[in-house]
Amino acid sequence: HQDQLPILQHALMRTWDYWVDNRESGEPMDLRHYNAIGRIEQALSLHANEAYDELTSKEKEIAEILFKNVTEKGEDNTGMRRPVRITTVSEIAEASDADVIKVVENYRKPGRSFLMPDASTKLTNDSVVELSHESIMRIWNRLAIWVDEESESAQTYKRISEAAAMYQIGKTGLWRPPDLQLALNWQKKQRPTRSWAQRYDIAFERAIVFLDTSRITYEAELKNQELLQKRALRRARTTNIVLVIFLLVA
């Protein structure tokens, strides 16, 4: 397996650290310590989750955005590393550079080499960070979910942006359900920003205007239909009253 060496290296490091901290007097390093760190299958994932659990709620949001930006899916659906600047993450997360650096430091301190550069390099707002190895994407369960979510979100945005471009030149119409509802659900959940969108398509404003115009137009159509239905109902009631009167007269 292509990930075998870094995963083995990490599992051995974790086993050693656990033995140092938890051994009984005179106890040699053994399977008990190896099993406690999650074995080779889960050692890396459990370690990354430990680092995540140490963060505050705001820092967890930053961490999610950070890792979504240092990873991406290729055309063949394989995960790849993607270097990103601290300032870029700050803009997308709407956080300070210092807050982002604090989260990065939590994942690159000695014994936690999830991110590069290593802990010996001082970080600034212009520093570029990246995953230390692609195996983290495949082994860390939380990151695998984040990567899938980011890929799906990007695909939705690209579809909206492409539809907006076609609408602008008159080659397609505004969206209606189910596409419109799916896009609105995406917008509400993901809360996309211009900083985030630059990675996939720079015409963010055009895409959002297209989506808003589609929503307003559809809502206006629904309201107009509701008014027509109310008028039809009033006519039917009037007709029924007239018929009842004629019936009583008869």
Side-chain angles (χ1 to χ4, degrees), residues 214-227:
S214 296
R215 174 182 56 80
I216 293 171
T217 301
Y218 180 66
E219 288 176 350
E221 291 176 358
L222 290 179
K223 187 174 182 180
N224 186 52
Q225 289 178 2
E226 185 179 352
L227 290 174

Side-chain angles (χ1 to χ4, degrees), residues 43-240:
L44 189 148
S45 185
L46 292 176
H47 194 192
N49 284 332
E50 285 179 15
Y52 179 78
D53 291 336
E54 293 173 1
L55 302 175
T56 64
S57 57
K58 177 59 179 177
E59 289 170 347
K60 287 179 179 178
E61 292 179 7
I62 295 174
E64 179 176 345
I65 292 171
L66 167 66
F67 280 100
K68 283 182 176 180
N69 276 271
V70 296
T71 55
E72 65 181 349
K73 275 191 174 183
E75 294 182 358
D76 57 353
N77 212 36
T78 58
M80 299 182 297
R81 290 182 290 177
R82 178 180 179 271
V84 66
R85 290 189 181 278
I86 293 291
T87 52
T88 301
V89 179
S90 301
E91 292 175 2
I92 298 174
E94 297 180 344
S96 67
D97 294 336
D99 289 338
V100 174
I101 290 175
K102 184 179 178 182
V103 172
V104 174
E105 294 288 7
N106 195 50
Y107 280 95
R108 71 170 196 141
K109 62 186 182 181
R112 284 185 184 173
S113 54
F114 295 104
L115 294 173
M116 298 291 289
D118 60 38
S120 64
T121 303
K122 182 177 176 57
L123 296 179
T124 67
N125 58 341
D126 286 328
S127 296
V128 176
V129 297
E130 62 178 328
L131 280 182
S132 57
H133 197 276
E134 287 90 348
S135 60
I136 299 174
M137 298 176 62
R138 293 181 280 272
I139 302 300
W140 185 14
N141 49 11
R142 177 174 273 111
L143 180 55
I145 293 172
W146 284 344
V147 171
D148 288 339
E149 288 178 350
E150 181 68 9
S151 178
E152 292 174 5
S153 181
Q155 291 301 321
T156 299
Y157 169 66
K158 289 177 182 178
R159 285 186 59 236
I160 297 171
S161 187
E162 291 170 0
M166 297 296 288
Y167 177 74
Q168 190 175 44
I169 60 177
K171 290 190 175 181
T172 191
L174 295 172
W175 274 8
R176 298 172 61 84
D179 288 336
L180 175 59
Q181 191 57 54
L182 291 173
L184 292 175
N185 292 341
W186 164 82
Q187 185 181 34
K188 182 179 180 180
K189 179 181 178 181
Q190 300 297 330
R191 293 176 296 170
T193 63
R194 188 176 185 278
S195 299
W196 171 83
Q198 298 305 299
R199 175 178 172 182
Y200 304 107
D201 193 311
I202 61 174
F204 176 69
E205 287 78 8
R206 182 180 64 187
I208 296 303
V209 167
F210 170 78
L211 191 55
D212 288 342
T213 303
S214 296
R215 174 182 56 80
I216 293 171
T217 301
Y218 180 66
E219 288 176 350
E221 291 176 358
L222 290 179
K223 187 174 182 180
N224 186 52
Q225 289 178 2
E226 185 179 352
L227 290 174
L228 292 175
Q229 289 175 353
K230 288 181 178 179
R231 290 176 183 174
L233 183 59
R234 284 198 296 268
R235 291 197 195 98
R237 287 176 178 174
T238 302
T239 301
N240 288 338

